[in-house]
């Protein structure tokens, strides 16, 4: 895929002012940018988003993680603590559709850039905030990170194996969830604003995103009063629905319903288990899941994962191998669905990206440009907002604005 700065995506023409950094906020605005929104990332001069320095560095101010979360965006580096920087931001907000920030609650108000201030100059504005615990309640002023939210949302209490130490989900799931849920809220609020002319605040949090994922666990607790614990790879209410050992690794088996259970038994040559009174009904299999898993692993260990995949797929049983990242991006389905996308970049060469995870038939999302250098578009953006070249130069000279358009690859 070649780099393209234009879009006909479903959000083409929507202007987003992005004041976020690290993970949750940039995930939210990346989702909007992938669908064609003009996302203008406003960063601190000198340092920018902390993610620029996290993980493997590709240039002096671009890391692999930063690229993954900030594609399709433009960057300006501007000091929002200065009066001139605040004035520039308010001018930009006059014609913006969305503002997204993930400071601690109250920071934007102290800067004089809170929702009430901006709504007064742009009543249709959708103003979204993402924080650890949300903008209200006794924890509103606490800092929050994914690890903390995973613990306090209950996710860590049901992750890992029984009797083991606390384990987090391997990916920053509350960050990603908070970003995704907030993007959903922004789009709902934007539709409302288009219909009524009334903007509003959108308030997302990491803790609430984590709680939202506990569908089975919360519903079982509500129904029984019993506190769920970790199950390894097993399912909360169904069995067998877990990873089983084979002769050369593991395979995930989804044989939870009665029809798939019977298909599974036939596929592995154990049709006698269908009539076995110990495993006759779904609840019977769940009640004896450890015993059943041990029995099945004795059988599965006789052959390789590939052998079982061939037999199970032919029988219509839902199953799958457990991939590492190299195997993920070599899989024919992943490639066919364009979940690996490559951009040709003059500075970085070939840049790999995770693809857009949802497909639209008429106006699909696209990856149009790599994540920007710090302040790469400062001059361009301000000129588009009515500033003259002289005014831009004055802002650069006073340190309010940083022009990073000339940054080059570091050795």
């Amino acid at each position: 895929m070649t780099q393209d700065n234009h879009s006909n995506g479903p959000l083409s023409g929507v202007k987003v002012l992005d004041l976020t950094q690290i993970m949750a906020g940039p995930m939210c605005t990346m989702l909007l940018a992938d669908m064609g929104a003009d996302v203008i990332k406003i960063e601190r001069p000198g340092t920018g988003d902390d993610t620029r320095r996290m993980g493997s560095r590709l240039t002096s101010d671009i890391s692999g993680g930063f690229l993954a979360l900030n594609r399709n965006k433009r960057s300006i580096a501007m000091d929002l603590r200065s009066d001139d920087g605040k004035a520039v931001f308010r001018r930009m907000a006059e014609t913006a559709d969305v503002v997204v920030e993930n400071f601690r609650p109250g920071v934007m108000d102290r800067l004089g850039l809170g929702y009430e201030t901006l709504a007064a100059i742009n009543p249709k504005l959708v103003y979204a905030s993402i924080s650890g615990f949300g903008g209200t309640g006794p924890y509103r002023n606490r800092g929050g990170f994914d690890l903390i939210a995973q613990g306090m949302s209950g996710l860590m209490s049901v992750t890992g194996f029984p009797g083991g130490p606390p384990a987090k989900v391997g990916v920053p799931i509350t960050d990603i969830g908070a970003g995704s849920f907030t993007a959903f809220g922004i789009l709902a609020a934007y539709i409302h604003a288009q219909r009524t002319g009334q903007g509003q605040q959108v308030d997302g949090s990491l803790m609430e995103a984590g709680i939202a994922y506990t569908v089975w666990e919360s519903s079982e607790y509500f129904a029984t009063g019993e506190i769920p614990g970790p199950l390894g790879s097993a399912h909360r209410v169904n069995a067998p629905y877990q990873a089983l050992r084979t002769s050369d690794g593991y395979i995930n088996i989804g044989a939870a319903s009665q029809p798939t259970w019977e298909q599974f038994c036939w596929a592995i040559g154990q049709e006698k288990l269908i009539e076995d009174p110990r495993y006759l009904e779904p609840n019977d299999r769940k009640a004896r899941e450890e015993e059943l898993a041990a029995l099945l692993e004795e059988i599965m260990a006789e052959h390789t994962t590939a052998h079982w995949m061939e037999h199970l797929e032919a029988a219509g049983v839902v199953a799958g191998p457990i991939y590492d990242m190299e195997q993920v991006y070599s899989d024919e389905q992943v490639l066919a669905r364009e979940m690996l996308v490559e951009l040709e970049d003059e500075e970085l060469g070939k840049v790999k990206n995770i693809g857009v995870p949802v497909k639209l038939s008429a106006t699909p999302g696209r990856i149009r440009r790599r994540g920007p250098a710090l302040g790469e578009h400062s001059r361009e953006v301000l000129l588009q907002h009515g500033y003259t070249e002289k005014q831009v130069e004055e802002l650069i000279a006073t340190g309010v604005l940083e022009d990073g358009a000339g940054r080059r690859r570091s050795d």
Side-chain angles (χ1 to χ4, degrees), residues 257-321:
S257 68
Q258 193 64 30
T260 55
W261 163 248
E262 294 179 8
Q263 290 169 337
F264 175 64
C265 291
W266 281 102
I268 65 173
Q270 297 294 318
E271 56 270 19
K272 61 184 179 182
L273 293 177
I274 297 172
E275 301 300 328
D276 190 317
R278 296 174 298 172
Y279 315 123
L280 199 60
E281 300 289 339
N283 287 343
D284 298 327
R285 296 190 289 277
K286 179 60 182 176
R288 296 176 174 83
E289 65 178 341
E290 291 184 13
E291 168 192 310
L292 178 57
L295 186 156
L296 294 174
E297 283 196 331
E298 287 185 18
I299 299 162
M300 305 298 284
E302 296 176 1
H303 298 287
T304 65
T305 297
H307 168 91
W308 289 121
M309 279 300 303
E310 182 179 350
H311 282 70
L312 294 171
E313 187 173 352
V317 178
V318 179

Side-chain angles (χ1 to χ4, degrees), residues 67-86:
L67 281 182
L69 289 162
N70 293 283
R71 65 200 191 195
N72 290 335
K73 304 177 186 179
R74 297 192 289 168
S75 169
I76 72 170
M78 184 167 65
D79 183 6
L80 290 178
R81 295 170 299 179
S82 68
D83 290 340
D84 286 341
K86 293 173 186 177

Side-chain angles (χ1 to χ4, degrees), residues 78-225:
M78 184 167 65
D79 183 6
L80 290 178
R81 295 170 299 179
S82 68
D83 290 340
D84 286 341
K86 293 173 186 177
V88 173
F89 183 81
R90 286 192 289 268
R91 182 163 169 176
M92 295 172 67
E94 290 176 6
T95 55
D97 297 289
V98 180
V99 168
V100 188
E101 57 91 7
N102 66 344
F103 299 115
R104 287 196 188 191
V107 168
M108 288 292 282
D109 287 324
R110 289 193 293 274
L111 287 171
L113 302 173
Y115 173 68
E116 297 298 334
T117 299
L118 299 186
I121 61 176
N122 182 355
K124 291 182 66 175
L125 184 69
V126 174
Y127 188 107
S129 302
I130 306 174
S131 59
F133 299 95
T136 59
Y139 299 164
R140 67 182 300 270
N141 292 321
R142 288 191 186 182
F145 291 112
D146 173 74
L147 177 66
I148 310 306
Q150 285 204 35
M152 295 182 69
S153 65
L155 288 177
M156 288 179 67
S157 75
V158 297
T159 302
F161 286 85
K168 66 183 283 292
V169 179
V171 299
I173 194 167
T174 66
D175 274 326
I176 295 170
S180 301
F181 292 140
T182 303
F184 166 75
I186 288 170
L187 294 178
Y190 177 73
I191 292 171
H192 176 77
Q194 295 306 298
R195 290 174 174 170
T196 67
Q198 177 189 23
Q200 61 186 297
Q201 288 181 281
V202 178
D203 183 6
S205 80
L206 275 62
M207 186 176 182
E208 288 162 283
I211 294 171
Y213 283 119
T214 66
V215 176
W216 285 115
E217 290 71 24
S218 289
S219 62
E220 284 295 292
Y221 171 68
F222 294 155
T224 68

